[in-house]
Amino acid sequence: MKRDNSRHINSYKRLGKNIADRRKFLKISQEELAFRISSTRNYIGCIERGEKFPSIAVIFDIAKALNIQPKDFFEGT
Amino acid sequence: MKRDNSRHINSYKRLGKNIADRRKFLKISQEELAFRISSTRNYIGCIERGEKFPSIAVIFDIAKALNIQPKDFFEGT
């Protein structure tokens, strides 16, 4: 069943902010994070702003790339 | 970019187990959970066994239906 992501827009925005905060804490650029998960800087930017809705697999990949537990990205969502 | 979910199979299995544990703790059937998120018992079963890879929107819906924070489902993933 297709889910309506727009219902969760604030949760996705918070998820994106949590990712951005962790990335900046490690002083890693969007380009570098994109490289580590075989993606693009533009896609990372969209996720961090809550404009794209990543899959859980992407979240697992980003968590590994930023050396953090996936659950920490869901804080406050 | 298409992600390879199979790389995260153990994480998806843990995610599914966490959902099942919460559902059973509340003494709610798979049928009842399916009803609450407008899905099917079969789909819930597949998620709980780690055989299907739910979207984050589905996780948000299940978390709301089971009155828990989404991050709690990612414990140990």
Side-chain angles (χ1 to χ4, degrees), chain B residues 35-74:
Chain B
F35 175 78
R36 292 185 185 186
I37 70 162
S38 303
S39 186
T40 65
R41 189 198 66 77
N42 182 59
Y43 185 60
I44 298 296
C46 287
I47 290 175
E48 290 186 353
R49 292 187 298 274
E51 295 168 4
K52 293 253 187 187
F53 310 118
S55 68
I56 291 175
V58 167
I59 296 301
F60 287 155
D61 284 339
I62 293 177
K64 188 175 181 187
L66 297 182
N67 195 29
I68 198 170
Q69 300 297 312
K71 74 183 173 82
D72 292 331
F73 286 148
F74 289 89

Side-chain angles (χ1 to χ4, degrees), chain A residues 1 3 7-8 37-38 61, chain B residues 3 7-8 37-38 61:
Chain A
M1 180 192 168
R3 295 276 145 183
R7 288 198 298 117
H8 300 296
I37 69 160
S38 303
D61 284 340
Chain B
R3 294 276 146 185
R7 288 199 298 115
H8 300 296
I37 70 162
S38 303
D61 284 339

Side-chain angles (χ1 to χ4, degrees), chain A residues 1 3-5 7-8 11-12 15 37-39 43 53-61 64 69-72 74-77, chain B residues 1 3-5 7-8 11-12 15 37-39 43 53-61 64 69-72 74-77:
Chain A
M1 180 192 168
R3 295 276 145 183
D4 179 10
N5 285 304
R7 288 198 298 117
H8 300 296
S11 292
Y12 279 110
L15 177 66
I37 69 160
S38 303
S39 185
Y43 184 61
F53 310 117
S55 68
I56 291 175
V58 167
I59 297 301
F60 286 154
D61 284 340
K64 188 176 180 186
Q69 299 297 311
K71 74 184 173 83
D72 292 332
F74 289 88
E75 189 68 47
T77 62
Chain B
M1 179 194 169
R3 294 276 146 185
D4 179 10
N5 285 304
R7 288 199 298 115
H8 300 296
S11 292
Y12 279 108
L15 177 66
I37 70 162
S38 303
S39 186
Y43 185 60
F53 310 118
S55 68
I56 291 175
V58 167
I59 296 301
F60 287 155
D61 284 339
K64 188 175 181 187
Q69 300 297 312
K71 74 183 173 82
D72 292 331
F74 289 89
E75 189 69 47
T77 63

Side-chain angles (χ1 to χ4, degrees), chain A residues 18-62:
Chain A
N18 290 344
I19 290 171
D21 287 349
R22 175 64 181 174
R23 177 182 60 73
K24 292 170 185 172
F25 174 77
L26 296 177
K27 300 188 192 312
I28 290 170
S29 68
Q30 288 183 334
E31 287 85 350
E32 171 62 22
L33 176 55
F35 175 78
R36 292 185 185 186
I37 69 160
S38 303
S39 185
T40 66
R41 189 198 67 76
N42 182 60
Y43 184 61
I44 298 295
C46 287
I47 291 175
E48 289 187 353
R49 292 188 299 275
E51 295 168 4
K52 294 253 186 187
F53 310 117
S55 68
I56 291 175
V58 167
I59 297 301
F60 286 154
D61 284 340
I62 294 176

